[in-house]
Amino acid sequence: MESLLHKIEDAKKYIQSIDSGKFDAAIILGTGLGSIVNNIENKKVIKYQDVPGFPVSTVAGHKGELIIGELEGKKVIAFNGRFHYYEGYAMDQVVFGIRVMKALSIENILVSNAAGGMNPEFEPGDLMIITDHINFMGTNPLIGRNFEELGPRFPDMSSAYNKDLIKLAFGCGTKLNIKIQKGVYAAVSGPTYETPAELRMLRILGGDAVGMSTVPEVIAANHMGMKVLGISCITDMAIADNLEPLDHSKVVETANKAMAKFVNLVKEIVRNL
Ligand code: HPA
């Protein structure tokens, strides 16, 4: 077996040595959205640094832990802190954890992020269900040798975000009376926020929200045939003509304010998986 497959296997075995249960879903928590882990019961916490092959997260507002436990009666594994391309990780490091989730036989993956709103109908604090994405990161996690054990050389991306999960998320939003937006997530490499000219371009090309994550994980998950649900928390308006200066603390602050809504939605979705 090749070294990547070995590494995935080693990480899987380590996690199974701590909890050998069958997981219903993996949840990737975006910037400022980490407190959902407070709702996870019978928790076991694994530091990324203890998992063989895992990189370590470096951004303020991101932790580096896997949280295993029960959420609404379902067994979940949450990534509190993710790996961003702009931190200098190679793309195969960015998606390593997703591959380990598949090795653990997890089928459902819920990916969240903080994003700038480019659709003028959005407001900061809105939650957006991702219906599709555009990869503007300038690279792709599947470049390089393909491992057929993981998935095909040329993976289908015709419904990268699972239609049933999108329907479920909207149903949960309606039930909870939470306004839910939907749209296309445009991923850029970062770490700079966008210039007005870049935002104009991204909007013209079909983006509703812009951010620096998620797409690598979603590509890797689709490669392996996993079902993906994506949720963006709109933390700022990324609209060219009246763009205000933005810093990371504002992103974290707005995501934190939307947290209760996010937590309720995710709980309801997980309960109905
Ligand atoms: N641009 C890119 N990434 C982001 C933004 C933004 O406006 N907000 C949160 N993440």
Side-chain angles (χ1 to χ4, degrees):
M1 220 189 334
E2 303 296 331
S3 65
L4 173 63
L5 302 177
H6 268 301
K7 272 173 66 184
I8 294 169
E9 193 63 20
D10 288 348
K12 171 188 118 169
K13 281 192 188 136
Y14 179 77
I15 293 168
Q16 283 180 329
S17 75
I18 295 185
D19 192 309
S20 60
K22 164 104 182 73
F23 297 98
D24 297 299
I27 306 175
I28 319 291
L29 296 166
T31 300
L33 299 171
S35 87
I36 196 163
V37 302
N38 299 335
N39 293 262
I40 297 178
E41 293 169 336
N42 301 321
K43 250 188 282 209
K44 289 176 192 160
V45 178
I46 305 177
K47 289 193 167 38
Y48 289 164
Q49 67 212 45
D50 294 336
V51 184
F54 256 62
V56 175
S57 173
T58 63
V59 190
H62 286 263
K63 285 205 172 134
E65 293 170 344
L66 286 173
I67 317 284
I68 292 173
E70 281 137 43
L71 186 64
E72 298 295 300
K74 296 284 160 73
K75 182 128 186 179
V76 299
I77 179 160
F79 286 69
N80 198 7
R82 62 142 62 83
F83 308 105
H84 298 88
Y85 184 54
Y86 61 72
E87 291 176 86
Y89 296 114
M91 272 291 181
D92 60 346
Q93 291 180 295
V94 173
V95 303
F96 182 72
I98 306 300
R99 289 175 165 159
V100 175
M101 295 303 106
K102 176 66 182 183
L104 286 165
S105 304
I106 297 175
E107 287 306 324
N108 298 305
I109 175 145
L110 197 163
V111 192
S112 62
N113 58 56
M118 297 194 290
N119 183 328
E121 287 176 18
F122 293 177
E123 284 177 338
D126 278 353
L127 300 179
M128 181 190 92
I129 301 298
I130 304 176
T131 53
D132 203 349
H133 75 222
I134 306 178
N135 178 12
F136 278 115
M137 296 182 95
T139 184
N140 186 301
L142 305 183
I143 288 175
R145 182 184 159 182
N146 186 57
F147 288 88
E148 288 291 328
E149 294 87 342
L150 301 179
R153 172 73 290 185
F154 300 107
D156 174 51
M157 292 289 282
S158 60
S159 45
Y161 298 83
N162 183 269
K163 291 197 169 67
D164 294 333
L165 291 179
I166 291 173
K167 208 187 277 178
L168 171 63
F170 273 99
C172 293
T174 305
K175 181 172 171 210
L176 298 172
N177 210 11
I178 297 174
K179 176 177 71 169
I180 311 248
Q181 306 284 10
K182 66 175 173 184
V184 173
Y185 178 85
V188 293
S189 71
T192 44
Y193 290 119
E194 300 68 39
T195 65
E198 288 165 345
L199 291 175
R200 214 167 281 125
M201 175 193 78
L202 294 170
R203 179 69 183 146
I204 288 169
L205 294 180
D208 293 293
V210 55
M212 305 173 191
S213 68
T214 301
V215 160
E217 292 102 317
V218 172
I219 289 173
N222 273 273
H223 182 225
M224 299 180 294
M226 300 171 88
K227 290 189 208 160
V228 175
L229 178 69
I231 306 177
S232 290
C233 176
I234 304 299
T235 53
D236 52 277
M237 291 316 291
I239 291 185
D241 292 335
N242 37 31
L243 190 62
E244 289 174 12
L246 178 62
D247 67 65
H248 183 65
S249 61
K250 209 151 139 189
V251 169
V252 176
E253 191 187 313
T254 310
N256 281 331
K257 279 190 196 150
M259 180 85 76
K261 221 167 35 171
F262 175 77
V263 167
N264 287 338
L265 181 66
V266 170
K267 278 165 68 176
E268 187 66 18
I269 292 167
V270 167
R271 197 161 68 80
N272 287 285
L273 277 178

